[in-house]
Amino acid sequence: MLAFIGGTGLTRMDNLRIIDSHTPETRFGAASAPVVEGALNGQRVLFLARHGDPHLLLPHQVNYRANLAALKAAGATAIVATNAVGGITAQAPTGALVLPDQIIDYTYGREMTLFDNLSEPLVHVDFSWPFDVTLRNALKARLGAADLHWNDGGCYGATQGPRLETAAEIDRLERDGCDIVGMTGMPEAVLARELELPYAMLSLVVNPAAGKSSHEITMAEIDAVIHDGMANVRQVLADFAAHYIP
């Protein structure tokens, strides 16, 4: 089944019928929230609220390992993750959707692998291209059919949070090649790879990153962009579910 990871608002889609709710047990503990199963435009889909339901968990507090293991146990065969990000380069203006193709990981202290059991073999996964090409291309095709502002490609810089970055840190990320910055892309992406789950990311740019605006960004401005932008995200995901062939 196709699975979506994001905020609780993802389940507010037209033509979505909630069927069930799963709370799979994992050896990594409890997931952020129950895995919701539904029927969307003729497709069975799963939803997981990354930060809990209600939204309570900070990015570094999310049990990413339990989340991914729970989705796998519930029957997920592919994952599209959504997140809100700051825009660093001109490729990522506020309000745009970005379909990143690379990641740089600046997080620390997070559980980064499922293979930490000393009684089991150590596994190193190839992470040269962190997003599944086939899944990403299928998502790109649906974005191309939508009348929305979106960008194909870009590098996602994963920072620790929960604080926002300094202007100097954003300058560093830009020098490193990052186009957008967020706090949840890692280790989520690599854990999906370890579970052999195709994974792609759809990012909504909700504000200019630190130092990239002529004025201080307020939460009211960010909330307004999220309100309108998440409607576009839901539109894209609903259309994607209708056309997705597992």
Side-chain angles (χ1 to χ4, degrees):
M1 269 185 289
L2 178 64
F4 298 126
I5 301 177
T8 56
L10 280 187
T11 55
R12 294 197 296 269
M13 292 187 187
D14 294 336
N15 302 321
L16 172 65
R17 178 171 57 90
I18 302 298
I19 297 172
D20 204 352
S21 179
H22 306 275
T23 54
E25 292 294 326
T26 83
R27 71 180 182 91
F28 307 106
S32 297
V35 177
V36 176
E37 181 179 350
L40 177 62
N41 291 331
Q43 184 81 261
R44 294 288 281 270
V45 293
L46 299 172
F47 296 89
L48 178 62
R50 182 189 287 117
H51 296 278
D53 185 8
H55 185 127
L56 294 174
L57 298 171
L58 297 171
H60 67 289
Q61 296 173 325
V62 173
N63 189 338
Y64 295 95
R65 296 195 299 177
N67 284 356
L68 273 293
L71 284 173
K72 180 86 170 184
T77 56
I79 297 172
V80 174
T82 65
N83 44 44
V85 298
I88 298 175
T89 65
Q91 187 172 339
T94 298
L97 296 174
V98 177
L99 191 60
D101 58 2
Q102 273 297 337
I103 290 177
I104 299 178
D105 186 11
Y106 302 92
T107 66
Y108 51 88
R110 301 185 184 189
E111 298 289 353
M112 300 298 295
T113 181
L114 302 168
F115 301 108
D116 63 348
N117 189 331
L118 296 180
S119 66
E120 297 176 353
L122 179 66
V123 176
H124 298 281
V125 293
D126 183 351
F127 204 52
S128 303
W129 303 99
F131 303 109
D132 182 80
V133 174
T134 301
L135 185 63
R136 191 179 173 281
N137 284 341
L139 191 56
K140 183 166 66 173
R142 301 322 307 163
L143 282 164
D147 184 21
L148 298 172
H149 187 177
W150 68 283
N151 284 289
D152 177 20
C155 183
Y156 176 108
T159 57
Q160 180 70 0
R163 67 168 178 83
L164 298 176
E165 301 74 31
T166 68
E169 287 170 331
I170 293 299
D171 285 344
R172 174 200 174 191
L173 266 64
E174 185 170 16
R175 290 194 300 271
D176 286 350
C178 296
D179 297 286
I180 54 178
V181 57
M183 301 174 189
T184 60
M186 288 292 288
E188 192 173 272
V190 73
L191 296 173
R193 179 63 52 87
E194 289 188 343
L195 287 169
E196 299 182 339
L197 287 171
Y199 178 97
M201 184 186 291
L202 182 62
S203 300
L204 170 65
V205 183
V206 299
N207 61 278
K212 298 298 179 180
S213 174
S214 59
H215 67 285
E216 182 177 346
I217 305 299
T218 67
M219 283 309 301
E221 290 176 285
I222 292 175
D223 288 343
V225 176
I226 290 175
H227 179 270
D228 294 336
M230 284 308 300
N232 293 335
V233 169
R234 290 193 294 270
Q235 171 191 328
V236 170
L237 296 184
D239 178 64
F240 181 69
H243 292 85
Y244 178 69
I245 301 175

